[in-house]
Structure formats: C-alpha cells, structure tokens
Tab-separated table of all heavy atoms in Angstrom:
chain	number	residue	atom	x	y	z
A	27	ILE	N	121.740	65.491	96.829
A	27	ILE	CA	121.253	66.263	95.709
A	27	ILE	C	122.308	67.308	95.398
A	27	ILE	O	122.601	68.212	96.138
A	27	ILE	CB	119.925	66.998	96.047
A	27	ILE	CG1	118.876	65.966	96.414
A	27	ILE	CG2	119.454	67.838	94.847
A	27	ILE	CD1	117.527	66.602	96.867
A	28	LEU	N	122.965	67.143	94.238
A	28	LEU	CA	124.024	68.058	93.785
A	28	LEU	C	123.383	69.312	93.171
A	28	LEU	O	122.382	69.223	92.471
A	28	LEU	CB	124.975	67.383	92.838
A	28	LEU	CG	125.893	66.263	93.388
A	28	LEU	CD1	126.562	65.545	92.221
A	28	LEU	CD2	126.936	66.880	94.341
A	29	PRO	N	124.058	70.442	93.243
A	29	PRO	CA	123.658	71.575	92.483
A	29	PRO	C	123.690	71.282	91.007
A	29	PRO	O	124.573	70.515	90.540
A	29	PRO	CB	124.678	72.668	92.854
A	29	PRO	CG	125.267	72.194	94.158
A	29	PRO	CD	125.265	70.718	94.068
A	30	SER	N	122.864	71.910	90.181
A	30	SER	CA	122.830	71.601	88.776
A	30	SER	C	124.140	71.906	88.091
A	30	SER	O	124.543	71.253	87.151
A	30	SER	CB	121.678	72.339	88.082
A	30	SER	OG	121.806	73.769	88.326
A	31	HIS	N	124.802	72.931	88.574
A	31	HIS	CA	126.112	73.319	87.942
A	31	HIS	C	127.171	73.353	89.072
A	31	HIS	O	127.447	74.449	89.634
A	31	HIS	CB	126.034	74.642	87.237
A	31	HIS	CG	125.002	74.728	86.120
A	31	HIS	ND1	125.166	74.027	84.971
A	31	HIS	CD2	123.803	75.345	86.074
A	31	HIS	CE1	124.103	74.238	84.192
A	31	HIS	NE2	123.271	75.029	84.859
A	32	HIS	N	127.728	72.225	89.353
A	32	HIS	CA	128.778	72.164	90.380
A	32	HIS	C	130.145	72.039	89.713
A	32	HIS	O	130.284	71.609	88.581
A	32	HIS	CB	128.502	70.989	91.307
A	32	HIS	CG	128.698	69.650	90.724
A	32	HIS	ND1	129.917	69.059	90.500
A	32	HIS	CD2	127.766	68.780	90.194
A	32	HIS	CE1	129.779	67.880	89.926
A	32	HIS	NE2	128.467	67.708	89.738
A	33	ASN	N	131.134	72.422	90.468
A	33	ASN	CA	132.488	72.356	89.961
A	33	ASN	C	133.340	71.452	90.746
A	33	ASN	O	134.532	71.645	90.931
A	33	ASN	CB	133.155	73.769	89.917
A	33	ASN	CG	132.398	74.711	89.026
A	33	ASN	OD1	132.134	74.395	87.874
A	33	ASN	ND2	132.121	75.897	89.500
A	34	ILE	N	132.781	70.397	91.275
A	34	ILE	CA	133.451	69.436	92.132
A	34	ILE	C	134.265	68.442	91.212
A	34	ILE	O	133.612	67.724	90.394
A	34	ILE	CB	132.558	68.662	93.079
A	34	ILE	CG1	131.717	69.682	93.916
A	34	ILE	CG2	133.330	67.749	93.970
A	34	ILE	CD1	130.637	68.961	94.751
A	35	ASP	N	135.545	68.381	91.350
A	35	ASP	CA	136.363	67.445	90.629
A	35	ASP	C	136.428	66.054	91.297
A	35	ASP	O	136.188	65.961	92.487
A	35	ASP	CB	137.781	67.971	90.469
A	35	ASP	CG	137.812	69.189	89.600
A	35	ASP	OD1	137.036	69.263	88.670
A	35	ASP	OD2	138.663	70.073	89.856
A	36	SER	N	136.680	65.040	90.515
A	36	SER	CA	136.920	63.719	91.013
A	36	SER	C	135.719	63.049	91.691
A	36	SER	O	135.950	62.247	92.608
A	36	SER	CB	138.145	63.712	91.974
A	36	SER	OG	139.313	64.228	91.309
A	37	ILE	N	134.528	63.391	91.300
A	37	ILE	CA	133.378	62.635	91.768
A	37	ILE	C	133.291	61.379	90.966
A	37	ILE	O	132.959	61.359	89.815
A	37	ILE	CB	132.066	63.448	91.620
A	37	ILE	CG1	132.074	64.686	92.603
A	37	ILE	CG2	130.871	62.597	91.940
A	37	ILE	CD1	130.771	65.435	92.555
A	38	LYS	N	133.586	60.269	91.691
A	38	LYS	CA	133.480	58.933	91.077
A	38	LYS	C	133.249	57.896	92.201
A	38	LYS	O	133.160	58.291	93.372
A	38	LYS	CB	134.762	58.632	90.341
A	38	LYS	CG	136.027	58.626	91.213
A	38	LYS	CD	137.297	58.287	90.427
A	38	LYS	CE	137.678	59.359	89.455
A	38	LYS	NZ	138.945	59.084	88.742
A	39	ASP	N	133.129	56.699	91.799
A	39	ASP	CA	132.942	55.586	92.818
A	39	ASP	C	133.983	55.775	93.914
A	39	ASP	O	135.178	55.889	93.606
A	39	ASP	CB	133.058	54.237	92.113
A	39	ASP	CG	132.893	53.105	93.031
A	39	ASP	OD1	132.562	53.294	94.220
A	39	ASP	OD2	133.081	51.928	92.594
A	40	SER	N	133.566	55.712	95.158
A	40	SER	CA	134.474	55.942	96.251
A	40	SER	C	135.635	54.927	96.304
A	40	SER	O	136.727	55.233	96.761
A	40	SER	CB	133.687	55.862	97.619
A	40	SER	OG	133.115	54.562	97.784
A	41	LYS	N	135.336	53.726	95.759
A	41	LYS	CA	136.389	52.718	95.795
A	41	LYS	C	137.540	53.013	94.870
A	41	LYS	O	138.624	52.444	94.939
A	41	LYS	CB	135.747	51.327	95.431
A	41	LYS	CG	134.773	50.823	96.454
A	41	LYS	CD	134.233	49.464	96.095
A	41	LYS	CE	133.330	49.444	94.943
A	41	LYS	NZ	132.080	50.221	95.164
A	42	LYS	N	137.334	53.982	93.899
A	42	LYS	CA	138.379	54.323	92.990
A	42	LYS	C	139.141	55.564	93.436
A	42	LYS	O	139.990	56.022	92.637
A	42	LYS	CB	137.718	54.612	91.610
A	42	LYS	CG	137.080	53.369	90.999
A	42	LYS	CD	136.513	53.606	89.585
A	42	LYS	CE	135.942	52.378	88.971
A	42	LYS	NZ	135.422	52.611	87.632
A	43	LEU	N	138.872	56.000	94.625
A	43	LEU	CA	139.604	57.202	95.137
A	43	LEU	C	140.450	56.741	96.306
A	43	LEU	O	140.069	55.850	97.121
A	43	LEU	CB	138.635	58.299	95.601
A	43	LEU	CG	137.778	58.945	94.556
A	43	LEU	CD1	136.733	59.854	95.179
A	43	LEU	CD2	138.574	59.710	93.540
A	44	SER	N	141.607	57.370	96.454
A	44	SER	CA	142.417	57.134	97.644
A	44	SER	C	141.708	57.700	98.878
A	44	SER	O	140.782	58.515	98.772
A	44	SER	CB	143.845	57.739	97.494
A	44	SER	OG	143.667	59.178	97.503
A	45	GLU	N	142.106	57.275	100.002
A	45	GLU	CA	141.498	57.782	101.293
A	45	GLU	C	141.658	59.252	101.396
A	45	GLU	O	140.728	59.998	101.708
A	45	GLU	CB	142.137	57.092	102.481
A	45	GLU	CG	141.503	57.579	103.813
A	45	GLU	CD	142.099	56.895	105.052
A	45	GLU	OE1	142.998	55.998	104.839
A	45	GLU	OE2	141.712	57.256	106.147
A	46	LYS	N	142.829	59.770	101.066
A	46	LYS	CA	143.105	61.249	101.143
A	46	LYS	C	142.170	61.967	100.137
A	46	LYS	O	141.596	62.994	100.488
A	46	LYS	CB	144.610	61.510	100.798
A	46	LYS	CG	144.935	62.985	100.909
A	46	LYS	CD	146.444	63.172	100.618
A	46	LYS	CE	146.761	64.684	100.717
A	46	LYS	NZ	148.257	64.882	100.405
A	47	LYS	N	142.040	61.442	98.918
A	47	LYS	CA	141.254	62.127	97.934
A	47	LYS	C	139.743	62.050	98.296
A	47	LYS	O	139.025	63.050	98.080
A	47	LYS	CB	141.440	61.407	96.536
A	47	LYS	CG	140.806	62.205	95.400
A	47	LYS	CD	141.449	63.545	95.201
A	47	LYS	CE	140.893	64.266	93.970
A	47	LYS	NZ	141.495	65.637	93.757
A	48	ARG	N	139.324	60.960	98.889
A	48	ARG	CA	137.921	60.785	99.311
A	48	ARG	C	137.604	61.940	100.362
A	48	ARG	O	136.515	62.515	100.303
A	48	ARG	CB	137.653	59.447	99.943
A	48	ARG	CG	137.350	58.338	98.950
A	48	ARG	CD	136.639	57.183	99.608
A	48	ARG	NE	137.421	56.611	100.751
A	48	ARG	CZ	138.307	55.623	100.608
A	48	ARG	NH1	138.528	55.130	99.409
A	48	ARG	NH2	138.976	55.183	101.627
A	49	GLN	N	138.538	62.144	101.255
A	49	GLN	CA	138.281	63.174	102.285
A	49	GLN	C	138.129	64.557	101.642
A	49	GLN	O	137.269	65.308	102.039
A	49	GLN	CB	139.477	63.182	103.262
A	49	GLN	CG	139.722	61.909	104.038
A	49	GLN	CD	138.694	61.657	105.154
A	49	GLN	OE1	137.993	62.575	105.511
A	49	GLN	NE2	138.652	60.432	105.653
A	50	ILE	N	138.946	64.835	100.673
A	50	ILE	CA	138.865	66.123	100.008
A	50	ILE	C	137.529	66.310	99.266
A	50	ILE	O	136.820	67.357	99.384
A	50	ILE	CB	140.068	66.314	99.047
A	50	ILE	CG1	141.382	66.404	99.835
A	50	ILE	CG2	139.873	67.574	98.170
A	50	ILE	CD1	142.575	66.358	98.913
A	51	VAL	N	137.176	65.271	98.495
A	51	VAL	CA	135.931	65.358	97.721
A	51	VAL	C	134.743	65.365	98.713
A	51	VAL	O	133.720	66.019	98.421
A	51	VAL	CB	135.849	64.167	96.728
A	51	VAL	CG1	134.556	64.242	95.913
A	51	VAL	CG2	137.058	64.176	95.765
A	52	TYR	N	134.792	64.595	99.745
A	52	TYR	CA	133.732	64.564	100.750
A	52	TYR	C	133.458	66.017	101.276
A	52	TYR	O	132.260	66.465	101.325
A	52	TYR	CB	134.147	63.674	101.901
A	52	TYR	CG	133.281	63.723	103.149
A	52	TYR	CD1	132.269	62.764	103.305
A	52	TYR	CD2	133.444	64.655	104.142
A	52	TYR	CE1	131.443	62.783	104.419
A	52	TYR	CE2	132.667	64.690	105.266
A	52	TYR	CZ	131.660	63.750	105.381
A	52	TYR	OH	130.839	63.772	106.508
A	53	ASN	N	134.531	66.746	101.624
A	53	ASN	CA	134.327	68.072	102.135
A	53	ASN	C	133.773	69.016	101.041
A	53	ASN	O	132.930	69.883	101.339
A	53	ASN	CB	135.707	68.643	102.605
A	53	ASN	CG	136.150	67.945	103.847
A	53	ASN	OD1	135.360	67.458	104.644
A	53	ASN	ND2	137.520	67.898	104.040
A	54	ASN	N	134.204	68.813	99.837
A	54	ASN	CA	133.684	69.658	98.721
A	54	ASN	C	132.196	69.380	98.483
A	54	ASN	O	131.440	70.307	98.243
A	54	ASN	CB	134.479	69.390	97.399
A	54	ASN	CG	135.882	69.886	97.511
A	54	ASN	OD1	136.199	70.754	98.304
A	54	ASN	ND2	136.773	69.338	96.691
A	55	ILE	N	131.825	68.176	98.562
A	55	ILE	CA	130.396	67.809	98.385
A	55	ILE	C	129.525	68.420	99.530
A	55	ILE	O	128.470	69.054	99.284
A	55	ILE	CB	130.199	66.233	98.368
A	55	ILE	CG1	130.834	65.687	97.096
A	55	ILE	CG2	128.648	65.907	98.347
A	55	ILE	CD1	130.916	64.198	97.139
A	56	MET	N	130.066	68.268	100.768
A	56	MET	CA	129.313	68.765	101.949
A	56	MET	C	129.141	70.285	101.892
A	56	MET	O	128.135	70.824	102.427
A	56	MET	CB	130.016	68.372	103.215
A	56	MET	CG	130.073	66.876	103.459
A	56	MET	SD	128.403	66.145	103.764
A	56	MET	CE	128.004	66.901	105.327
A	57	ASP	N	130.096	70.949	101.259
A	57	ASP	CA	130.021	72.461	101.190
A	57	ASP	C	128.894	72.949	100.259
A	57	ASP	O	128.341	74.039	100.518
A	57	ASP	CB	131.354	72.980	100.635
A	57	ASP	CG	132.446	72.951	101.655
A	57	ASP	OD1	132.159	72.817	102.882
A	57	ASP	OD2	133.616	73.053	101.285
A	58	VAL	N	128.490	72.153	99.253
A	58	VAL	CA	127.568	72.741	98.261
A	58	VAL	C	126.269	71.905	98.077
A	58	VAL	O	125.337	72.412	97.489
A	58	VAL	CB	128.278	72.879	96.883
A	58	VAL	CG1	129.507	73.760	96.969
A	58	VAL	CG2	128.653	71.473	96.306
A	59	ALA	N	126.245	70.645	98.540
A	59	ALA	CA	125.131	69.799	98.207
A	59	ALA	C	124.150	69.707	99.392
A	59	ALA	O	124.462	69.965	100.557
A	59	ALA	CB	125.627	68.429	97.819
A	60	ASP	N	122.968	69.214	99.072
A	60	ASP	CA	121.974	68.789	100.063
A	60	ASP	C	122.294	67.354	100.396
A	60	ASP	O	122.085	66.482	99.531
A	60	ASP	CB	120.561	68.947	99.474
A	60	ASP	CG	119.462	68.642	100.519
A	60	ASP	OD1	119.781	68.267	101.681
A	60	ASP	OD2	118.249	68.795	100.132
A	61	VAL	N	122.739	67.113	101.621
A	61	VAL	CA	123.244	65.735	102.005
A	61	VAL	C	122.495	65.261	103.245
A	61	VAL	O	122.312	66.044	104.190
A	61	VAL	CB	124.743	65.784	102.289
A	61	VAL	CG1	125.266	64.411	102.746
A	61	VAL	CG2	125.490	66.230	101.020
A	62	SER	N	122.186	64.002	103.197
A	62	SER	CA	121.575	63.333	104.405
A	62	SER	C	122.132	61.983	104.546
A	62	SER	O	122.428	61.313	103.527
A	62	SER	CB	120.058	63.314	104.282
A	62	SER	OG	119.474	62.627	105.383
A	63	ILE	N	122.291	61.525	105.783
A	63	ILE	CA	122.847	60.197	106.090
A	63	ILE	C	121.859	59.352	106.880
A	63	ILE	O	121.324	59.882	107.890
A	63	ILE	CB	124.180	60.321	106.770
A	63	ILE	CG1	125.237	60.949	105.848
A	63	ILE	CG2	124.726	58.984	107.271
A	63	ILE	CD1	126.522	61.401	106.565
A	64	GLY	N	121.724	58.100	106.494
A	64	GLY	CA	120.912	57.131	107.303
A	64	GLY	C	121.753	56.021	107.822
A	64	GLY	O	122.565	55.525	107.087
A	65	ILE	N	121.576	55.678	109.109
A	65	ILE	CA	122.388	54.653	109.718
A	65	ILE	C	121.478	53.557	110.371
A	65	ILE	O	120.483	53.935	111.045
A	65	ILE	CB	123.317	55.217	110.806
A	65	ILE	CG1	124.245	56.286	110.195
A	65	ILE	CG2	124.116	54.187	111.476
A	65	ILE	CD1	125.078	57.005	111.246
A	66	VAL	N	121.803	52.339	110.122
A	66	VAL	CA	121.069	51.211	110.737
A	66	VAL	C	122.097	50.370	111.487
A	66	VAL	O	123.084	49.948	110.899
A	66	VAL	CB	120.335	50.370	109.696
A	66	VAL	CG1	119.724	49.120	110.319
A	66	VAL	CG2	119.215	51.217	109.048
A	67	SER	N	121.867	50.112	112.755
A	67	SER	CA	122.832	49.471	113.612
A	67	SER	C	122.944	47.985	113.310
A	67	SER	O	122.129	47.355	112.701
A	67	SER	CB	122.448	49.634	115.111
A	67	SER	OG	121.299	48.844	115.401
A	68	ASN	N	124.059	47.406	113.874
A	68	ASN	CA	124.256	45.948	113.688
A	68	ASN	C	123.157	45.147	114.360
A	68	ASN	O	122.775	44.083	113.866
A	68	ASN	CB	125.608	45.548	114.256
A	68	ASN	CG	125.646	45.694	115.783
A	68	ASN	OD1	125.620	46.813	116.303
A	68	ASN	ND2	125.781	44.595	116.490
A	69	ARG	N	122.586	45.674	115.400
A	69	ARG	CA	121.502	44.897	116.112
A	69	ARG	C	120.233	44.835	115.201
A	69	ARG	O	119.598	43.738	115.148
A	69	ARG	CB	121.132	45.604	117.440
A	69	ARG	CG	122.222	45.398	118.513
A	69	ARG	CD	121.815	46.124	119.801
A	69	ARG	NE	122.808	45.856	120.822
A	69	ARG	CZ	122.780	44.859	121.666
A	69	ARG	NH1	121.826	43.936	121.569
A	69	ARG	NH2	123.736	44.723	122.606
A	70	THR	N	119.945	45.882	114.531
A	70	THR	CA	118.796	45.900	113.622
A	70	THR	C	119.081	44.991	112.430
A	70	THR	O	118.233	44.276	111.931
A	70	THR	CB	118.465	47.299	113.155
A	70	THR	OG1	118.155	48.120	114.286
A	70	THR	CG2	117.294	47.295	112.202
A	71	ILE	N	120.338	45.014	111.948
A	71	ILE	CA	120.807	44.142	110.853
A	71	ILE	C	120.487	42.649	111.221
A	71	ILE	O	119.994	41.911	110.416
A	71	ILE	CB	122.195	44.384	110.486
A	71	ILE	CG1	122.445	45.759	109.902
A	71	ILE	CG2	122.732	43.287	109.519
A	71	ILE	CD1	123.943	46.134	109.725
C-alpha cells in the first residue's frame, strides 16, 4: 500500500529494472509503504 503522494522514482515492472536499480527502489518503497510478504515453500508447491 503506497502513500497517496509518494515521491519514489522508477516504480515499474521489476523485470524492466537493473538489479542495482531494483535494490534502490526496493529500499525506497520499504521506507514509506505498508509492505507485507507471503512465502510458500517448494514442498507446498
């Protein structure tokens, strides 16, 4: 959930960003957004 008025540059499909750029944008998102991650293991898959 992003803030209504965020100033994060380069938010786009992750596949269109270099690894270095993804890391930067990742940190910027984590700083201001409500973020949650769900993981399902290979065994469950």
Side-chain angles (χ1 to χ4, degrees):
I27 299 177
L28 289 170
S30 55
H31 300 290
H32 67 81
N33 296 314
I34 305 173
D35 293 326
S36 301
I37 291 185
K38 60 178 70 175
D39 178 6
S40 63
K41 296 184 289 295
K42 295 184 177 181
L43 297 173
S44 67
E45 181 179 357
K46 182 178 180 180
K47 190 65 175 178
R48 276 199 304 269
Q49 298 284 347
I50 294 172
V51 180
Y52 172 94
N53 291 332
N54 291 339
I55 294 169
M56 294 296 292
D57 285 343
V58 301
D60 184 356
V61 176
S62 176
I63 294 170
I65 301 174
V66 173
S67 72
N68 67 295
R69 288 179 176 272
T70 301
I71 293 170

